[in-house]
Amino acid sequence: MKALLDLIVGDPQADRAVPSTGITARLTVFAAGAMAFLAVFALALSLAAGRVADRWAEELSQAATLRLPADPDRAEAVLQAALTVLETTPGVATARALTSEEQQALLAPWFGADLPLETLPIPQLIEVIADDAGYDAAGLRARLMAEIPGAVLDDHTRWREPLLAAASRLRLLGWAVILLIGGVVTAMITLAAHASLAANTRVIGVLRLVGARDVYIARAFVRRFTLRAGFGAIVGVVLGVFAIQLLPNTQLAGGFLADFGFTGASWLWPLAIPPLTAIVAFFATRAAALRRLREQT
Amino acid sequence: MIELDNVSYGYGDTALFSQLSLTLAPGSFHFLTGPSGAGKTTLLRLCYADLRAMDGQVRLFGQDAAALDRDGVAMVRRRIGVVHQDCQFLDHLSIAENIALPLTVADRMSEAAANLEQLLSWVGLGPQAGQLPPSLSGGERQRAALARAVIMSPEVIIADEPTGNVDWEMSQRLLMLLVELNKMGKTILIATHDLTMIRSLKSDVNARVLRLKDKQLTQAGADL
């Protein structure tokens, strides 16, 4: 804690020993700010992908659809038989036939809202909800095949799994981008520190002449770059969060954009960016300074 | 204090001097003379561990300079005050801050206030304390460099052509400051090519004159 306080407060006399290099200072603040801004978006992307994946997994994992053969003459009998099979299947919590309005709503995107459903041989759908233990899908399919030929049980596995895989990879991609941003910040601060040290060769020579240790000289650079990077990151995070708040609240893309942002504890993630940037800057500058000072005899 | 034992140094394939030995006893006063390019500055740099001998041994306050790590060199520098011909100031700091710099880097700023006022008065730079180095004359800069060299109360003071950029009157004033320091017990080593300046101190100090020429260090004439 004391070391952190010392770093923030610093030693005014020691700080003054190294002149502030204007262009390097401004570039460091700008680079840290820009990277923090991008990191906020990468974080939001990763968190949104995670939320969407969780929601899809939760909403669809226990739901299945039973499609009955479209046979107008035996429709009611087949429906009753199917419901009987489902109600007697261990692991099925509820089984409910979709109303004609619900079926029409499902078809509306393709055939329009005025479709005369009753005149067409539309298969009856049954929504099946499993309990926590779940049911034996293979056993149920076998029983349905024997008792209601032509009935198809769709437990959404076929399209749910690729969607979950895509969302999971999107989340990983977000974290990979954040790691890349961290690497870029480290590289940029290292370069800026090297430039600053090179520009101050004469100052370093004078400090050494009067007995300054490498740690003392490095400290002036480390503190300066740590504070600059931290400040830049604060500005970048504020602008990034503000930009995300300005995004339209839309249900497009399966509600993905509605999930894009921070809620609850996830607010801690963007708040962590400035201190993490400062920590990266601290170690990058310290390593660069000590290496440079070792080379510069 | 400082001992050089059969020390050799050169740049590239050219040997600047070889098998050179020198001992600076506590409280001694030495002039180092020789033609330009003979290696006077190099010899001084070996004496404050700014260079490492290619051969032989340099002992600073009893420690082998070759065995000193970087922190060790910094600690040795705090015991040796160095005055360069070009002074080497930090131009963005005031003269007072430049003079106090050795105390600043040694984290001994509490001693600065009293020492600084006394030193500024001793070198006659009180009114210029707040000025930046580029605004000072050559003589004022040299006096400030001397003040910076002694603010840590070092045991040894090494000066490289300290009067090179100043007029006769100012060079005498600077030399008298160095003589005063010697009388206070400090060990002094001054590199100069100005023999007139050396002779002018004949009656003021018991100094040994060394001559660096043709890669060898010899005593030039009788001690002053």
Side-chain angles (χ1 to χ4, degrees):
Chain A
M1 193 62 193
K2 187 182 178 299
L4 182 67
L5 200 64
D6 284 348
L7 183 74
I8 294 168
V9 175
D11 176 353
Q13 287 296 330
D15 282 353
R16 278 181 49 74
V18 178
S20 176
T21 43
I23 185 70
T24 322
R26 284 193 291 275
L27 280 178
T28 308
V29 173
F30 172 75
M35 288 297 114
F37 184 85
L38 294 176
V40 169
F41 275 86
L43 259 178
L45 170 77
S46 188
L47 293 173
R51 278 198 289 268
V52 167
D54 292 346
R55 202 177 62 230
W56 285 345
E58 190 182 336
E59 285 178 359
L60 301 175
S61 63
Q62 291 181 304
T65 305
L66 180 62
R67 193 176 74 225
L68 301 179
D71 182 353
D73 298 335
R74 298 181 56 238
E76 191 54 36
V78 169
L79 176 61
Q80 286 309 318
L83 287 174
T84 305
V85 168
L86 291 170
E87 281 161 9
T88 55
T89 301
V92 172
T94 61
R96 181 181 70 84
L98 263 60
T99 63
S100 57
E101 288 78 17
E102 285 171 322
Q103 298 214 140
Q104 186 145 20
L106 288 173
L107 294 168
W110 286 272
F111 299 106
D114 301 329
L115 179 72
L117 202 63
E118 62 285 354
T119 63
L120 295 171
I122 302 295
Q124 174 66 50
L125 300 179
I126 298 174
E127 181 190 59
V128 182
I129 304 293
D131 62 17
D132 291 340
Y135 54 84
D136 172 14
L140 180 57
R141 278 197 185 92
R143 195 174 161 203
L144 286 167
M145 194 182 291
E147 296 189 25
I148 310 166
V152 177
L153 180 67
D154 179 4
D155 61 1
H156 311 312
T157 307
R158 186 162 44 89
W159 58 274
R160 192 185 68 198
E161 284 181 352
L163 272 180
L164 288 178
S168 177
R169 277 179 198 162
L170 202 57
R171 177 162 44 180
L172 278 178
L173 190 67
W175 286 112
V177 169
I178 289 166
L179 279 180
L180 271 178
I181 288 171
V184 170
V185 167
T186 307
M188 283 193 304
I189 288 174
T190 302
L191 284 174
H194 271 292
S196 184
L197 286 154
N200 285 295
T201 302
R202 192 176 161 278
V203 171
I204 292 168
V206 173
L207 289 173
R208 281 193 165 148
L209 182 72
V210 298
R213 294 164 64 211
D214 282 0
V215 171
Y216 177 90
I217 300 170
R219 201 186 302 147
F221 289 92
V222 168
R223 179 173 178 275
R224 200 164 284 179
F225 277 91
T226 302
L227 295 183
R228 281 173 191 165
F231 172 71
I234 289 171
V235 174
V237 165
V238 168
L239 292 176
V241 168
F242 187 62
I244 284 177
Q245 295 302 105
L246 287 181
L247 282 175
N249 189 1
T250 173
Q251 292 297 314
L252 282 175
F256 186 80
L257 279 179
D259 278 305
F260 199 77
F262 303 101
T263 53
S266 69
W267 274 107
L268 292 174
W269 285 106
L271 292 181
I273 291 175
L276 283 174
T277 307
I279 289 169
V280 165
F282 176 88
F283 286 106
T285 315
R286 187 179 158 82
L290 291 177
R291 187 167 59 243
R292 179 97 193 182
L293 289 169
R294 269 197 302 275
E295 290 164 3
Q296 190 177 317
T297 54
Chain B
M1 288 270 160
I2 295 178
E3 294 167 88
L4 279 69
D5 187 13
N6 289 316
V7 168
S8 301
Y9 198 87
Y11 294 98
D13 294 333
T14 311
L16 205 52
F17 44 75
S18 60
Q19 305 285 301
L20 182 151
S21 294
L22 169 68
T23 300
L24 298 184
S28 63
F29 197 120
H30 287 82
F31 283 108
L32 177 63
T33 66
S36 292
K40 297 191 294 291
T41 298
T42 300
L43 182 55
L44 295 191
R45 289 177 70 189
L46 285 165
C47 290
Y48 60 87
D50 196 32
L51 292 175
R52 294 209 169 183
M54 290 173 170
D55 200 11
Q57 192 183 46
V58 176
R59 279 190 299 278
L60 306 173
F61 309 104
Q63 302 171 81
D64 182 359
L68 291 173
D69 61 10
R70 304 176 69 78
D71 281 352
V73 170
M75 292 305 133
V76 162
R77 297 257 175 92
R78 293 179 188 182
R79 300 174 71 180
I80 301 174
V82 180
V83 182
H84 279 280
Q85 185 175 3
D86 62 355
C87 300
Q88 298 197 2
F89 288 121
L90 299 183
D91 288 345
H92 63 288
L93 298 184
S94 70
I95 279 299
E97 287 171 315
N98 266 287
I99 292 173
L101 199 56
L103 289 174
T104 307
V105 304
D107 202 17
R108 285 167 53 182
M109 275 307 290
S110 53
E111 301 168 34
N115 288 5
L116 197 56
E117 201 176 328
Q118 206 175 349
L119 266 175
L120 284 166
S121 161
W122 180 62
V123 294
L125 286 176
Q128 290 87 354
Q131 291 183 24
L132 295 177
S135 66
L136 266 59
S137 70
E140 288 169 336
R141 287 166 62 86
Q142 285 292 352
R143 281 184 279 150
L146 182 59
R148 184 183 64 186
V150 301
I151 197 165
M152 291 278 282
S153 195
E155 291 138 86
V156 180
I157 293 158
I158 293 175
D160 188 6
E161 301 281 5
T163 59
N165 290 332
V166 296
D167 58 28
W168 172 257
E169 192 183 338
M170 184 53 68
S171 71
Q172 290 303 298
R173 194 170 163 188
L174 276 167
L175 287 171
M176 287 318 295
L177 290 174
L178 287 163
V179 168
E180 273 183 51
L181 288 167
N182 179 244
K183 285 178 179 165
M184 291 158 70
K186 308 294 181 194
T187 305
I188 311 283
L189 174 60
I190 304 172
T192 181
H193 62 276
D194 187 353
L195 297 177
T196 319
M197 179 192 84
I198 295 172
R199 288 189 200 104
S200 71
L201 285 183
K202 205 169 180 176
S203 57
D204 298 305
V205 70
N206 179 23
R208 175 158 289 187
V209 184
L210 306 168
R211 183 167 174 77
L212 185 59
K213 193 184 174 189
D214 299 332
K215 302 177 187 176
Q216 296 299 318
L217 188 67
T218 54
Q219 187 165 332
D223 292 348
L224 287 180

Tab-separated table of all heavy atoms in Angstrom, chain A residues 74-111:
chain	number	residue	atom	x	y	z
A	74	ARG	N	-57.332	-38.250	-38.627
A	74	ARG	CA	-56.977	-38.873	-37.335
A	74	ARG	C	-56.284	-37.884	-36.400
A	74	ARG	O	-55.664	-38.302	-35.410
A	74	ARG	CB	-56.047	-40.065	-37.594
A	74	ARG	CG	-56.700	-41.168	-38.436
A	74	ARG	CD	-55.736	-42.335	-38.651
A	74	ARG	NE	-55.250	-42.858	-37.383
A	74	ARG	CZ	-53.964	-42.929	-37.036
A	74	ARG	NH1	-53.037	-42.504	-37.883
A	74	ARG	NH2	-53.589	-43.429	-35.865
A	75	ALA	N	-56.407	-36.620	-36.696
A	75	ALA	CA	-55.637	-35.604	-35.963
A	75	ALA	C	-55.876	-35.653	-34.457
A	75	ALA	O	-54.933	-35.690	-33.663
A	75	ALA	CB	-55.970	-34.214	-36.505
A	76	GLU	N	-57.142	-35.677	-34.053
A	76	GLU	CA	-57.462	-35.628	-32.619
A	76	GLU	C	-56.995	-36.895	-31.912
A	76	GLU	O	-56.410	-36.824	-30.810
A	76	GLU	CB	-58.975	-35.436	-32.454
A	76	GLU	CG	-59.405	-35.100	-31.038
A	76	GLU	CD	-58.670	-33.897	-30.445
A	76	GLU	OE1	-58.359	-32.931	-31.182
A	76	GLU	OE2	-58.349	-33.946	-29.228
A	77	ALA	N	-57.189	-38.037	-32.562
A	77	ALA	CA	-56.801	-39.312	-31.944
A	77	ALA	C	-55.280	-39.387	-31.794
A	77	ALA	O	-54.761	-39.820	-30.748
A	77	ALA	CB	-57.293	-40.481	-32.822
A	78	VAL	N	-54.582	-38.954	-32.843
A	78	VAL	CA	-53.112	-38.977	-32.780
A	78	VAL	C	-52.602	-38.035	-31.692
A	78	VAL	O	-51.683	-38.363	-30.929
A	78	VAL	CB	-52.505	-38.594	-34.166
A	78	VAL	CG1	-51.014	-38.346	-34.066
A	78	VAL	CG2	-52.793	-39.688	-35.181
A	79	LEU	N	-53.262	-36.857	-31.589
A	79	LEU	CA	-52.853	-35.879	-30.575
A	79	LEU	C	-53.028	-36.477	-29.173
A	79	LEU	O	-52.137	-36.364	-28.323
A	79	LEU	CB	-53.674	-34.593	-30.735
A	79	LEU	CG	-53.435	-33.509	-29.678
A	79	LEU	CD1	-51.974	-33.044	-29.697
A	79	LEU	CD2	-54.349	-32.313	-29.905
A	80	GLN	N	-54.162	-37.095	-28.943
A	80	GLN	CA	-54.422	-37.677	-27.623
A	80	GLN	C	-53.421	-38.796	-27.314
A	80	GLN	O	-52.932	-38.908	-26.192
A	80	GLN	CB	-55.874	-38.218	-27.561
A	80	GLN	CG	-56.913	-37.116	-27.469
A	80	GLN	CD	-56.613	-36.107	-26.355
A	80	GLN	OE1	-56.222	-36.488	-25.253
A	80	GLN	NE2	-56.787	-34.814	-26.656
A	81	ALA	N	-53.138	-39.608	-28.330
A	81	ALA	CA	-52.193	-40.707	-28.133
A	81	ALA	C	-50.804	-40.172	-27.795
A	81	ALA	O	-50.130	-40.674	-26.886
A	81	ALA	CB	-52.129	-41.554	-29.412
A	82	ALA	N	-50.431	-39.113	-28.516
A	82	ALA	CA	-49.103	-38.518	-28.276
A	82	ALA	C	-49.029	-37.931	-26.875
A	82	ALA	O	-48.040	-38.123	-26.161
A	82	ALA	CB	-48.824	-37.450	-29.327
A	83	LEU	N	-50.094	-37.225	-26.489
A	83	LEU	CA	-50.102	-36.619	-25.145
A	83	LEU	C	-50.051	-37.707	-24.073
A	83	LEU	O	-49.392	-37.541	-23.039
A	83	LEU	CB	-51.362	-35.753	-24.977
A	83	LEU	CG	-51.339	-34.422	-25.770
A	83	LEU	CD1	-52.688	-33.698	-25.667
A	83	LEU	CD2	-50.221	-33.505	-25.267
A	84	THR	N	-50.724	-38.803	-24.332
A	84	THR	CA	-50.709	-39.915	-23.364
A	84	THR	C	-49.291	-40.479	-23.229
A	84	THR	O	-48.788	-40.709	-22.120
A	84	THR	CB	-51.663	-41.027	-23.822
A	84	THR	OG1	-52.956	-40.455	-24.023
A	84	THR	CG2	-51.733	-42.134	-22.796
A	85	VAL	N	-48.649	-40.667	-24.368
A	85	VAL	CA	-47.273	-41.178	-24.333
A	85	VAL	C	-46.376	-40.222	-23.542
A	85	VAL	O	-45.591	-40.634	-22.674
A	85	VAL	CB	-46.727	-41.356	-25.768
A	85	VAL	CG1	-45.212	-41.608	-25.742
A	85	VAL	CG2	-47.430	-42.494	-26.481
A	86	LEU	N	-46.512	-38.944	-23.845
A	86	LEU	CA	-45.640	-37.950	-23.189
A	86	LEU	C	-45.920	-37.873	-21.689
A	86	LEU	O	-44.995	-37.762	-20.875
A	86	LEU	CB	-45.826	-36.571	-23.837
A	86	LEU	CG	-45.291	-36.454	-25.276
A	86	LEU	CD1	-45.745	-35.143	-25.922
A	86	LEU	CD2	-43.771	-36.559	-25.308
A	87	GLU	N	-47.188	-37.882	-21.328
A	87	GLU	CA	-47.535	-37.749	-19.907
A	87	GLU	C	-47.068	-38.952	-19.088
A	87	GLU	O	-46.857	-38.837	-17.880
A	87	GLU	CB	-49.056	-37.572	-19.760
A	87	GLU	CG	-49.489	-36.143	-20.078
A	87	GLU	CD	-50.973	-36.031	-20.406
A	87	GLU	OE1	-51.688	-37.034	-20.225
A	87	GLU	OE2	-51.391	-34.962	-20.876
A	88	THR	N	-46.902	-40.061	-19.772
A	88	THR	CA	-46.464	-41.261	-19.032
A	88	THR	C	-44.945	-41.492	-19.182
A	88	THR	O	-44.443	-42.524	-18.775
A	88	THR	CB	-47.211	-42.503	-19.556
A	88	THR	OG1	-46.999	-42.581	-20.977
A	88	THR	CG2	-48.691	-42.432	-19.260
A	89	THR	N	-44.271	-40.555	-19.795
A	89	THR	CA	-42.810	-40.700	-19.951
A	89	THR	C	-42.092	-40.048	-18.771
A	89	THR	O	-42.311	-38.855	-18.501
A	89	THR	CB	-42.346	-40.031	-21.263
A	89	THR	OG1	-43.026	-40.650	-22.346
A	89	THR	CG2	-40.839	-40.170	-21.445
A	90	PRO	N	-41.319	-40.817	-18.021
A	90	PRO	CA	-40.576	-40.216	-16.904
A	90	PRO	C	-39.636	-39.118	-17.416
A	90	PRO	O	-38.997	-39.297	-18.460
A	90	PRO	CB	-39.758	-41.391	-16.341
A	90	PRO	CG	-40.394	-42.624	-16.902
A	90	PRO	CD	-41.027	-42.248	-18.194
A	91	GLY	N	-39.614	-38.001	-16.699
A	91	GLY	CA	-38.721	-36.907	-17.085
A	91	GLY	C	-39.413	-35.821	-17.871
A	91	GLY	O	-38.866	-34.734	-18.056
A	92	VAL	N	-40.610	-36.051	-18.345
A	92	VAL	CA	-41.347	-35.003	-19.057
A	92	VAL	C	-42.182	-34.247	-18.025
A	92	VAL	O	-43.045	-34.843	-17.368
A	92	VAL	CB	-42.241	-35.588	-20.162
A	92	VAL	CG1	-43.150	-34.506	-20.758
A	92	VAL	CG2	-41.391	-36.224	-21.248
A	93	ALA	N	-41.946	-32.979	-17.880
A	93	ALA	CA	-42.675	-32.181	-16.888
A	93	ALA	C	-44.031	-31.778	-17.434
A	93	ALA	O	-45.056	-31.949	-16.769
A	93	ALA	CB	-41.864	-30.942	-16.511
A	94	THR	N	-44.043	-31.212	-18.632
A	94	THR	CA	-45.317	-30.810	-19.229
A	94	THR	C	-45.278	-31.118	-20.729
A	94	THR	O	-44.213	-31.125	-21.350
A	94	THR	CB	-45.588	-29.298	-19.074
A	94	THR	OG1	-44.546	-28.605	-19.737
A	94	THR	CG2	-45.669	-28.879	-17.630
A	95	ALA	N	-46.464	-31.368	-21.259
A	95	ALA	CA	-46.607	-31.539	-22.715
A	95	ALA	C	-47.871	-30.786	-23.111
A	95	ALA	O	-48.948	-31.015	-22.548
A	95	ALA	CB	-46.712	-33.009	-23.069
A	96	ARG	N	-47.752	-29.857	-24.049
A	96	ARG	CA	-48.894	-28.980	-24.382
A	96	ARG	C	-48.969	-28.818	-25.894
A	96	ARG	O	-47.956	-28.503	-26.556
A	96	ARG	CB	-48.663	-27.617	-23.738
A	96	ARG	CG	-49.751	-26.603	-23.967
A	96	ARG	CD	-49.412	-25.281	-23.292
A	96	ARG	NE	-48.297	-24.602	-23.949
A	96	ARG	CZ	-48.439	-23.811	-25.035
A	96	ARG	NH1	-49.639	-23.584	-25.561
A	96	ARG	NH2	-47.373	-23.234	-25.576
A	97	ALA	N	-50.172	-29.055	-26.435
A	97	ALA	CA	-50.369	-28.864	-27.884
A	97	ALA	C	-50.442	-27.378	-28.172
A	97	ALA	O	-51.103	-26.628	-27.442
A	97	ALA	CB	-51.647	-29.548	-28.323
A	98	LEU	N	-49.738	-26.948	-29.185
A	98	LEU	CA	-49.778	-25.521	-29.543
A	98	LEU	C	-51.147	-25.214	-30.143
A	98	LEU	O	-51.705	-26.027	-30.903
A	98	LEU	CB	-48.680	-25.205	-30.573
A	98	LEU	CG	-47.382	-24.634	-29.991
A	98	LEU	CD1	-46.749	-25.604	-29.008
A	98	LEU	CD2	-46.402	-24.275	-31.096
A	99	THR	N	-51.678	-24.052	-29.793
A	99	THR	CA	-52.981	-23.651	-30.351
A	99	THR	C	-52.770	-23.268	-31.813
A	99	THR	O	-51.631	-23.049	-32.254
A	99	THR	CB	-53.534	-22.436	-29.580
A	99	THR	OG1	-52.625	-21.362	-29.778
A	99	THR	CG2	-53.669	-22.747	-28.097
A	100	SER	N	-53.889	-23.196	-32.550
A	100	SER	CA	-53.777	-22.838	-33.966
A	100	SER	C	-53.219	-21.415	-34.115
A	100	SER	O	-52.492	-21.115	-35.056
A	100	SER	CB	-55.135	-22.970	-34.667
A	100	SER	OG	-56.066	-22.154	-33.994
A	101	GLU	N	-53.516	-20.500	-33.128
A	101	GLU	CA	-52.971	-19.139	-33.191
A	101	GLU	C	-51.443	-19.163	-33.052
A	101	GLU	O	-50.716	-18.453	-33.745
A	101	GLU	CB	-53.574	-18.258	-32.081
A	101	GLU	CG	-55.017	-17.870	-32.283
A	101	GLU	CD	-55.978	-19.015	-31.941
A	101	GLU	OE1	-55.544	-19.961	-31.255
A	101	GLU	OE2	-57.131	-18.980	-32.400
A	102	GLU	N	-50.982	-20.026	-32.123
A	102	GLU	CA	-49.534	-20.110	-31.917
A	102	GLU	C	-48.849	-20.690	-33.158
A	102	GLU	O	-47.784	-20.220	-33.569
A	102	GLU	CB	-49.210	-20.981	-30.701
A	102	GLU	CG	-49.491	-20.281	-29.370
A	102	GLU	CD	-49.365	-21.224	-28.172
A	102	GLU	OE1	-49.762	-22.404	-28.277
A	102	GLU	OE2	-48.861	-20.768	-27.139
A	103	GLN	N	-49.474	-21.687	-33.748
A	103	GLN	CA	-48.875	-22.289	-34.952
A	103	GLN	C	-48.877	-21.278	-36.106
A	103	GLN	O	-47.927	-21.193	-36.876
A	103	GLN	CB	-49.635	-23.555	-35.348
A	103	GLN	CG	-49.582	-24.621	-34.275
A	103	GLN	CD	-49.541	-26.038	-34.828
A	103	GLN	OE1	-48.830	-26.868	-34.319
A	103	GLN	NE2	-50.284	-26.312	-35.864
A	104	GLN	N	-49.968	-20.482	-36.180
A	104	GLN	CA	-50.048	-19.465	-37.237
A	104	GLN	C	-48.947	-18.413	-37.039
A	104	GLN	O	-48.323	-17.959	-38.009
A	104	GLN	CB	-51.430	-18.800	-37.191
A	104	GLN	CG	-51.651	-17.845	-38.342
A	104	GLN	CD	-53.080	-17.855	-38.814
A	104	GLN	OE1	-53.971	-18.274	-38.086
A	104	GLN	NE2	-53.323	-17.422	-40.038
A	105	ALA	N	-48.724	-18.050	-35.771
A	105	ALA	CA	-47.676	-17.057	-35.492
A	105	ALA	C	-46.302	-17.583	-35.905
A	105	ALA	O	-45.452	-16.828	-36.391
A	105	ALA	CB	-47.681	-16.701	-34.003
A	106	LEU	N	-46.098	-18.883	-35.716
A	106	LEU	CA	-44.812	-19.468	-36.109
A	106	LEU	C	-44.614	-19.443	-37.626
A	106	LEU	O	-43.496	-19.280	-38.118
A	106	LEU	CB	-44.712	-20.925	-35.618
A	106	LEU	CG	-44.529	-21.114	-34.108
A	106	LEU	CD1	-44.620	-22.604	-33.766
A	106	LEU	CD2	-43.175	-20.575	-33.663
A	107	LEU	N	-45.744	-19.590	-38.355
A	107	LEU	CA	-45.634	-19.644	-39.817
A	107	LEU	C	-45.723	-18.260	-40.460
A	107	LEU	O	-45.384	-18.094	-41.639
A	107	LEU	CB	-46.751	-20.540	-40.397
A	107	LEU	CG	-46.627	-22.025	-40.021
A	107	LEU	CD1	-47.908	-22.765	-40.380
A	107	LEU	CD2	-45.440	-22.654	-40.740
A	108	ALA	N	-46.201	-17.292	-39.704
A	108	ALA	CA	-46.426	-15.952	-40.254
A	108	ALA	C	-45.198	-15.364	-40.959
A	108	ALA	O	-45.328	-14.760	-42.033
A	108	ALA	CB	-46.914	-15.017	-39.158
A	109	PRO	N	-43.980	-15.522	-40.401
A	109	PRO	CA	-42.820	-14.935	-41.096
A	109	PRO	C	-42.633	-15.475	-42.515
A	109	PRO	O	-42.027	-14.808	-43.337
A	109	PRO	CB	-41.644	-15.329	-40.206
A	109	PRO	CG	-42.220	-15.578	-38.869
A	109	PRO	CD	-43.587	-16.123	-39.127
A	110	TRP	N	-43.138	-16.663	-42.774
A	110	TRP	CA	-42.919	-17.257	-44.111
A	110	TRP	C	-44.154	-17.129	-45.022
A	110	TRP	O	-44.046	-16.918	-46.201
A	110	TRP	CB	-42.565	-18.746	-43.976
A	110	TRP	CG	-41.174	-18.941	-43.470
A	110	TRP	CD1	-40.046	-19.005	-44.206
A	110	TRP	CD2	-40.770	-19.046	-42.112
A	110	TRP	NE1	-38.946	-19.160	-43.400
A	110	TRP	CE2	-39.356	-19.180	-42.098
A	110	TRP	CE3	-41.454	-19.031	-40.880
A	110	TRP	CZ2	-38.637	-19.314	-40.932
A	110	TRP	CZ3	-40.714	-19.167	-39.729
A	110	TRP	CH2	-39.311	-19.292	-39.747
A	111	PHE	N	-45.347	-17.283	-44.419
A	111	PHE	CA	-46.568	-17.294	-45.260
A	111	PHE	C	-47.476	-16.091	-45.029
A	111	PHE	O	-48.515	-15.975	-45.655
A	111	PHE	CB	-47.375	-18.583	-44.996
A	111	PHE	CG	-46.609	-19.838	-45.343
A	111	PHE	CD1	-46.089	-20.649	-44.353
A	111	PHE	CD2	-46.408	-20.193	-46.668
A	111	PHE	CE1	-45.385	-21.791	-44.670
A	111	PHE	CE2	-45.690	-21.350	-46.973
A	111	PHE	CZ	-45.182	-22.145	-45.991
